[in-house]
Amino acid sequence: MAPRGLSAEEKRVKLLEIFHESKDFYQLKELEKLGPKLKGIVSQSVKDVLQSLVDDNLVCSDKIGTSNFFWSFPSAKGVMLQKKSDSLEATLTSTQAAIETLKATIKEEESQRTIT
C-alpha cells in the first residue's frame, strides 16, 4: 500500500511549526515554497491550511500595501490560552454569584410560603 498524505490536522501542526521554528513572517508564495521543502505539505493545500490557522487565531495576518503577511510566535498561543482562562474564570465567578443569589431568593420565598 502506498503511503498516504498528511491529514489536515498534521498539516496544520507542521505549518505552524514553520512559523514557530523560524519566528519570522511570510507571504503566501514563500509558504507555498517552504511547505513542501521543509515539512512535506503539498503546495496546493498550503493556502487552505493557512486560512484555517488564521480563522482559529493561531496565525496572524495583515495586509501591507498589496502584500499579505502571515506570522505566529510560540508565545502567542500561551497568551491566547491565558486570556481564555481569565475569561472563563470571570464567567465562573459571576455564575457562582448568580447561583448564590438565586439560592438566597429561594430560601426567602420558602420561608414566606404558607403551608396549606
Side-chain angles (χ1 to χ4, degrees):
M1 181 188 294
R4 203 178 126 258
L6 299 171
S7 72
E9 188 58 34
E10 290 171 327
K11 290 176 186 176
R12 287 169 49 96
V13 169
K14 290 185 178 286
L15 191 58
L16 203 53
E17 285 175 359
I18 292 174
F19 287 109
H20 291 179
E21 289 169 0
S22 67
K23 298 177 184 158
D24 203 0
F25 56 90
Y26 298 98
Q27 289 183 320
L28 180 59
K29 284 184 179 182
E30 295 170 319
L31 289 170
E32 287 174 338
K33 289 178 185 175
L34 289 175
K37 190 182 299 181
L38 297 177
K39 300 294 180 177
I41 303 170
V42 179
S43 62
Q44 290 84 358
S45 67
V46 169
K47 184 175 183 179
D48 294 332
V49 173
L50 182 61
Q51 187 59 49
S52 75
L53 289 171
V54 170
D55 292 343
D56 292 341
N57 293 324
L58 294 174
V59 173
C60 300
S61 67
D62 199 8
K63 185 170 184 154
I64 302 173
T66 59
S67 303
N68 288 320
F69 290 93
F70 301 93
W71 69 92
S72 177
F73 300 114
S75 62
K77 187 170 185 177
V79 170
M80 185 176 72
L81 290 174
Q82 184 62 44
K83 284 182 182 178
K84 182 153 182 106
S85 173
D86 293 344
S87 170
L88 291 173
E89 285 179 12
T91 303
L92 177 64
T93 303
S94 66
T95 304
Q96 287 175 336
I99 289 171
E100 292 302 318
T101 304
L102 290 172
K103 283 182 181 179
T105 304
I106 290 171
K107 200 173 236 184
E108 181 182 319
E109 293 293 328
E110 285 177 345
S111 67
Q112 293 176 358
R113 181 182 293 173
T114 58
I115 300 176
T116 57

